[in-house]
């Protein structure tokens, strides 16, 4: 029987992966947290126009403490709101035309840095980050980078659990004019 040649290459990769995981163990000793938020989204500047707050915002995040009062979060989320994507230019009016969907979706994955301030009731925080945004209409979707920034508050229930409240401004670079959305959400944070 002959040995498969792929096993030797996988052996080196497995050793490198195990060694990397061993070197990353001190990061597990830091303060970690997991959270989820539910809330509403409002289009601020978009070809669909300014709208009202629509429910349908969901976000989950995992955070690790970098320094005291500074957190790095990886966040994924989905916003259900009116979306619009460009379809071309109108030859008569010489303006950009858009395909709008009143029940569109925006999915995002972001890396966020948050600085927290200790308060009598818990913590308030300022955060900013960048990520990838996928905007979907009825038949199309576009993916591009975007930014978000905002404020947050944590109201501890005990050492592990806290009520989380967040307001964020999302700027998406999909087309011109660049759509902007505001989200308001609340949920639960679990720290370990």
């Amino acid at each position: 029987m002959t040995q498969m040649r792929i096993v030797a290459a996988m052996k080196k990769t497995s050793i490198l992966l195990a060694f990397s995981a061993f070197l990353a163990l001190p990061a597990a000793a830091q303060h970690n947290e997991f959270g989820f938020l539910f809330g509403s989204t409002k289009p601020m500047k978009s070809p669909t126009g300014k709208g009202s707050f629509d429910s349908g915002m969901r976000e989950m995040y995992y955070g690790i403490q970098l320094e005291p009062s500074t957190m790095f979060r990886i966040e994924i989320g989905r916003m259900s709101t009116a979306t619009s994507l460009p379809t071309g230019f109108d030859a008569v009016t010489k303006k950009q035309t858009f395909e709008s969907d009143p029940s569109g979706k925006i999915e995002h994955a972001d890396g966020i840095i948050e600085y927290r301030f200790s308060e009598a009731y818990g913590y308030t925080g300022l955060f900013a980050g960048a990520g990838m945004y996928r905007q979907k209409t009825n038949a199309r979707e576009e993916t591009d980078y975007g930014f978000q920034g905002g404020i947050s508050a944590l109201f501890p229930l005990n050492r592990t659990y806290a009520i989380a409240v967040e307001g964020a401004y999302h700027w998406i670079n999909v087309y011109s004019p660049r759509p902007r959305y505001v989200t308001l959400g609340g949920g639960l944070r679990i720290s370990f």
Side-chain angles (χ1 to χ4, degrees):
M1 293 242 162
T2 60
Q3 184 178 6
M4 293 179 55
R5 296 194 181 268
I6 196 167
V7 173
M10 288 177 54
K11 189 177 191 182
K12 291 178 184 176
T13 304
S14 299
I15 292 171
L16 180 62
L17 183 62
F19 183 67
S20 298
F22 178 73
L23 289 177
L25 279 178
Q30 300 293 323
H31 171 80
N32 297 308
E33 64 184 36
F34 172 78
F36 53 90
L37 300 167
F38 299 98
S40 299
T41 304
K42 178 180 179 180
M44 295 300 288
K45 182 179 179 186
S46 168
T48 59
K50 291 184 178 181
S52 59
F53 279 100
D54 298 322
S55 63
M57 186 272 291
R58 298 184 306 263
E59 292 180 349
M60 291 180 15
Y61 69 88
Y62 172 77
I64 186 168
Q65 185 177 12
L66 300 176
E67 293 180 1
S69 301
T70 305
M71 298 290 292
F72 174 71
R73 294 187 334 204
I74 296 175
E75 180 178 284
I76 58 172
R78 171 180 270 185
M79 299 180 266
S80 298
T81 187
T83 59
S84 190
L85 291 173
T87 56
F89 285 95
D90 186 358
V92 176
T93 62
K94 300 191 186 219
K95 290 186 177 180
Q96 195 168 18
T97 58
F98 294 93
E99 171 193 348
S100 295
D101 183 3
S103 59
K105 297 198 179 340
I106 299 170
E107 299 170 341
H108 63 95
D110 299 286
I112 297 170
I113 299 289
E114 180 178 14
Y115 186 78
R116 292 184 178 160
F117 303 94
S118 182
E119 305 284 350
Y121 56 81
Y123 298 94
T124 56
L126 298 172
F127 63 88
M132 296 300 293
Y133 287 77
R134 178 183 298 143
Q135 184 168 322
K136 296 180 179 182
T137 60
N138 293 325
R140 295 181 47 214
E141 66 179 52
E142 294 280 332
T143 303
D144 209 339
Y145 68 91
F147 302 99
Q148 76 167 296
I151 58 173
S152 64
L154 292 173
F155 304 100
L157 301 173
N158 60 27
R159 189 175 174 145
T160 304
Y161 299 102
I163 302 295
V165 179
E166 179 179 293
Y169 187 78
H170 298 263
W171 178 86
I172 307 169
N173 187 49
V174 176
Y175 53 81
S176 180
R178 289 167 180 82
R180 294 171 175 94
Y181 297 91
V182 170
T183 58
L184 297 174
L188 184 67
R189 185 230 37 198
I190 304 166
S191 68
F192 46 94

